[in-house]
Amino acid sequence: MSDHVYKVIEVVGSSRLGSDDAIRNAIETTAKTIRNIDWFEVIETRGHVVDGKVGHFQVTLKIGFRFEAN
């Protein structure tokens, strides 16, 4: 296995369904633009409340992607 160099970005995913779905939304949307995503880390979980009920789940992620070797 060779050594790798990673770039880390921070994104926020949201979903009406739950935090797991918010994570999937963030990863899948980011993967449309960024190649070589290898890992993610959940940094923060929060939500939006509407009329006393959860309106959206919001999850902040750090996403690591690998630089391509020359």
Side-chain angles (χ1 to χ4, degrees):
M1 174 186 256
S2 62
D3 296 330
H4 299 293
V5 176
Y6 293 91
K7 169 77 174 165
V8 178
I9 59 173
E10 193 169 287
V11 300
V12 178
S14 67
S15 172
R16 290 186 177 116
L17 302 177
S19 57
D20 286 353
D21 197 51
I23 291 168
R24 285 184 183 89
N25 287 341
I27 296 292
E28 290 170 12
T29 301
T30 302
K32 292 176 183 176
T33 306
I34 305 281
R35 292 188 311 266
N36 301 321
I37 295 174
D38 280 349
W39 57 268
F40 71 92
E41 175 183 359
V42 175
I43 302 301
E44 182 178 35
T45 304
R46 63 183 174 275
H48 177 235
V49 178
V50 178
D51 297 326
K53 297 180 181 179
V54 175
H56 279 87
F57 294 86
Q58 300 170 330
V59 180
T60 303
L61 306 172
K62 284 187 179 180
I63 295 177
F65 62 94
R66 185 177 12 89
F67 284 110
E68 296 177 350
N70 291 331

